[in-house]
Amino acid sequence: MRKTKLKTRMILTLGFLGAFQTILIGGFAGYYLSDSLYDEIARRALMVAKTVAATPAVINGIRSRDIPDLNRLAARLADTNEALFIVIGDHEAIRLAHPDTSRIGFSMADDDGDDGREALVNGNAYVGRAKGSLGESMRGKAPVKAPDSGDIIGIVSVGYSLDQVDTTIQRYNIVLYSVVGAALLFTILSAIVIAGRFKRAIFGLEPEEIARLFQERDATLQSVREGIIAVNREGIITTANRAAHETLNLSPDESLAGTPLLDILPDSSLMSVLESGQPDFDREIWLRGRQMVVNRLPVRQGNDIIGVVASFRLSNELDQVSRRLTRIQQYADTLRSQTHEYSNKLHTIAGLIQIGAHDEALNLIGSEVSDHQALLHLLLEAVPDPVIAGCLLGKYNRAREMGLRLDIDPDSRMTDIPELLPRDQLVSILGNLIDNALEATRLHSGEGGRVRLSMTDLGEELIFEVEDEGPGVPEEAQRKIFERGVSSKGEDHGIGLHLVQQFLNRWGGSITVENLAEKGSRFTLYLPKRPEERTSL
């Protein structure tokens, strides 16, 4: 069975509610109006009856039984007060004045069955509704009392035709129901307009389609591997997917909806997008100990910015693969250089043995063992971290393969490395500096050139100094060499120092470049032991 469309349902619902309220209010107003008019006529009849009963002319006429005078007076008073009739009777309810003179002298009970006992006996004025000889009327009856003795000497009955009241009510009802009809029509037209605008506001979708799209959106958000967080204009999180919890190291059971963003990420600059309204794409940040790429996009409704959506992913996924491949390549280069070097040494030693130069062979073996033992002893003592020590050992062998020497200052010490500092990135930037120094030395000084490395962890910073015997760095180029793609080696270079600068920017470090007096240059790297991780989502 096909369901009724939302617009039709809204028109019917709003129209029904409007009609129900309008009819209910109109009916109540009509009833209240009728009841009020009847009450007003009753009060008026009673008031006129009391006034007539207190008139001296009426009192004197009853005492003297001056019937003609009483009839003239009753007619005049009825006309003055727009009453249907005014009937005057004596103390026995016998008519003395009546619009129909043929009824004079008969009991007032003949009109409505009420003999006026309540007024004549108890002395009370009262109101009643009855149908008499002049039609249905609202009647007010009051006793006539002698002013000197207070005795009841007669009764006055004043009647107002209810036909007039009904005519007045009908006239009011016509106006009332016209207003009710107009209000009902306005309600229906308003329902049509509201339903149309609401339908356009939800892009013409039905509730079932909206529910399906919401489920699809939620499933899509949860399936995306990028973390996604949306905030409203007050900075309150409205949406966060599962990947956001995982990336931010939050419990998957912890709901972020309704939580202020700054409670989760105190240093977030996401709210700045609300002010600027400018999107921000592919910005690299350092968040909770990991490098990420963030996209921030304002959400607009018309010309107003109502929120911001941020998506973020780990940028080091590919970087990690790249670094692993780089390390594997370094290990392969190290093994190859060591294989090549030791192969030559073994051939030399074999030749010396074959020619009987045993002493020379032993000296060569001792020299080789001594050099490596000294280096290993220095690394074990000064650099207990195996990752950094392995990197330095590989660079040492790489330098020997290139016909160069990597001299590590025997007074170097690097034992107080913060746990928070990622070793793979530290090795990467240190390796880049040493590789650049080896390459510059080889090109400028040839074989026999030296690269010197000094390390210290004294004080509040880690300091690495790398000196080469290259051509030096011109002063005008010292600031530009850390930009991406800037290199003296030509195209496809200029990445290593750029990565070094990025790492330093994240961890609050710095690097200086100076040319040495004789030849070459010195790169000095400073890293704080308590780096302040810079977060900005």
Side-chain angles (χ1 to χ4, degrees):
M1 182 178 179
R2 186 175 180 181
K3 294 184 178 180
T4 308
K5 291 186 176 181
L6 175 62
K7 185 175 181 180
T8 305
R9 278 182 280 174
M10 289 186 64
I11 293 174
L12 292 176
T13 302
L14 293 175
F16 174 77
L17 290 176
F20 176 76
Q21 292 177 350
T22 303
I23 293 174
L24 181 64
I25 294 173
F28 175 77
Y31 172 79
Y32 181 76
L33 176 63
S34 301
D35 193 60
S36 298
L37 285 175
Y38 283 125
D39 288 344
E40 179 64 25
I41 291 296
R43 286 193 296 270
R44 185 174 182 181
L46 186 60
M47 180 186 67
V48 173
K50 289 180 179 180
T51 302
V52 172
T55 304
V58 173
I59 296 174
N60 293 331
I62 294 175
R63 279 180 171 179
S64 63
R65 299 187 74 83
D66 187 352
I67 294 176
D69 189 54
L70 285 175
N71 276 279
R72 286 192 298 271
L73 181 60
R76 187 173 69 252
L77 291 174
D79 184 61
T80 302
N81 291 280
E82 297 181 351
L84 177 63
F85 62 83
I86 293 180
V87 177
I88 303 173
D90 61 12
H91 66 284
E92 294 180 351
I94 300 301
R95 299 186 190 97
L96 300 178
H98 192 281
D100 186 358
T101 57
S102 63
R103 293 181 175 274
I104 296 175
F106 295 96
S107 175
M108 294 175 66
D110 294 343
D111 287 339
D112 54 10
D114 182 8
D115 58 2
R117 182 174 298 275
E118 179 69 21
L120 293 173
V121 176
N122 298 326
N124 297 324
Y126 63 96
V127 175
R129 181 175 178 175
K131 187 173 183 179
S133 59
L134 298 179
E136 188 174 11
S137 62
M138 185 70 71
R139 303 179 181 191
K141 295 184 180 184
V144 179
K145 297 180 180 180
D148 49 358
S149 63
D151 296 334
I152 298 174
I153 62 174
I155 185 173
V156 174
S157 176
V158 178
Y160 282 89
S161 173
L162 293 182
D163 292 339
Q164 295 176 352
V165 176
D166 293 338
T167 301
T168 302
I169 291 175
Q170 289 177 1
R171 185 171 65 252
Y172 285 157
N173 281 343
I174 290 174
V175 177
L176 176 63
Y177 292 141
S178 298
V179 173
V180 168
L184 180 60
L185 179 61
F186 176 77
T187 300
I188 295 175
L189 293 177
S190 299
I192 295 174
V193 173
I194 292 172
R197 290 187 176 181
F198 183 80
K199 190 74 172 180
R200 288 192 296 272
I202 59 175
F203 305 102
L205 298 174
E206 296 295 318
E208 297 78 10
E209 295 174 322
I210 295 175
R212 186 173 64 252
L213 288 175
F214 176 81
Q215 293 173 343
E216 291 176 357
R217 188 216 68 156
D218 189 62
T220 302
L221 283 176
Q222 300 304 329
S223 65
V224 173
R225 295 188 62 185
E226 287 192 1
I228 296 177
I229 288 181
V231 299
N232 60 19
R233 69 180 71 194
E234 287 78 26
I236 305 299
I237 297 175
T238 57
T239 301
N241 65 349
R242 187 182 299 110
H245 287 76
E246 295 174 353
T247 306
L248 299 177
N249 294 324
L250 300 175
S251 171
D253 299 327
E254 179 183 358
S255 176
L256 296 182
T259 304
L261 176 66
L262 297 181
D263 288 354
I264 305 298
L265 299 170
D267 298 327
S268 175
S269 59
L270 187 61
M271 300 305 296
S272 62
V273 180
L274 279 174
E275 300 175 1
S276 66
Q278 298 298 321
D280 196 6
F281 298 106
D282 296 328
R283 178 177 293 276
E284 292 188 0
I285 66 168
W286 194 255
L287 183 62
R288 299 206 175 199
R290 289 182 287 183
Q291 185 182 4
M292 298 185 189
V293 175
V294 176
N295 294 293
R296 300 179 293 186
L297 190 67
V299 180
R300 297 180 181 273
Q301 188 174 40
N303 295 325
D304 298 328
I305 300 176
I306 61 174
V308 182
V309 175
S311 65
F312 47 96
R313 66 183 185 276
L314 293 173
S315 66
N316 56 5
E317 289 181 353
L318 291 176
D319 292 344
Q320 286 177 353
V321 174
S322 177
R323 281 194 292 268
R324 288 173 183 172
L325 292 176
T326 300
R327 286 199 296 269
I328 292 173
Q329 182 65 41
Q330 290 175 348
Y331 297 152
D333 290 343
T334 300
L335 291 175
R336 179 175 57 81
S337 62
Q338 288 182 338
T339 301
H340 182 267
E341 181 181 0
Y342 284 110
S343 176
N344 292 333
K345 294 291 178 64
L346 288 175
H347 286 118
T348 302
I349 293 171
L352 291 173
I353 294 174
Q354 287 177 357
I355 63 176
H358 300 100
D359 293 337
E360 288 78 359
L362 291 174
N363 290 335
L364 182 58
I365 294 173
S367 173
E368 187 66 25
V369 172
S370 175
D371 290 344
H372 275 80
Q373 286 297 328
L375 177 62
L376 291 174
H377 179 74
L378 172 62
L379 293 177
L380 289 175
E381 289 291 332
V383 189
D385 190 291
V387 177
I388 299 177
C391 172
L392 296 179
L393 182 60
K395 297 304 178 185
Y396 177 84
N397 292 322
R398 173 65 175 164
R400 294 189 62 174
E401 181 188 11
M402 297 171 65
L404 306 174
R405 287 188 59 85
L406 174 60
D407 292 339
I408 301 177
D409 189 342
D411 295 327
S412 293
R413 181 178 178 84
M414 191 58 59
T415 59
D416 189 16
I417 302 177
E419 290 296 329
L420 186 61
L421 200 61
R423 300 301 191 270
D424 57 344
Q425 297 192 30
L426 180 57
V427 164
S428 176
I429 64 171
L430 185 59
N432 277 324
L433 292 178
I434 295 175
D435 285 341
N436 286 344
L438 291 173
E439 187 68 22
T441 301
R442 182 182 65 86
L443 293 176
H444 189 262
S445 300
E447 291 191 5
R450 292 175 179 268
V451 172
R452 298 169 184 83
L453 171 64
S454 175
M455 303 173 290
T456 180
D457 58 3
L458 298 177
E460 297 297 323
E461 293 179 314
L462 306 180
I463 302 176
F464 299 86
E465 289 186 355
V466 180
E467 296 181 1
D468 60 50
E469 295 182 350
V473 181
E475 291 186 3
E476 63 274 10
Q478 289 182 4
R479 293 183 179 181
K480 296 182 178 180
I481 58 174
F482 296 101
E483 297 177 5
R484 187 182 184 91
V486 176
S487 175
S488 61
K489 303 174 186 177
E491 296 182 359
D492 300 328
H493 292 280
I495 302 297
L497 291 179
H498 173 68
L499 295 177
V500 171
Q501 187 63 59
Q502 279 193 319
F503 177 80
L504 295 175
N505 291 339
R506 297 185 201 114
W507 290 91
S510 62
I511 187 170
T512 62
V513 183
E514 58 180 320
N515 293 322
L516 301 177
E518 298 179 356
K519 60 177 179 177
S521 58
R522 178 190 296 121
F523 286 74
T524 306
L525 184 69
Y526 301 90
L527 283 176
K529 290 184 179 180
R530 295 179 179 82
E532 295 182 359
E533 179 185 354
R534 298 183 180 181
T535 64
S536 176
L537 180 57

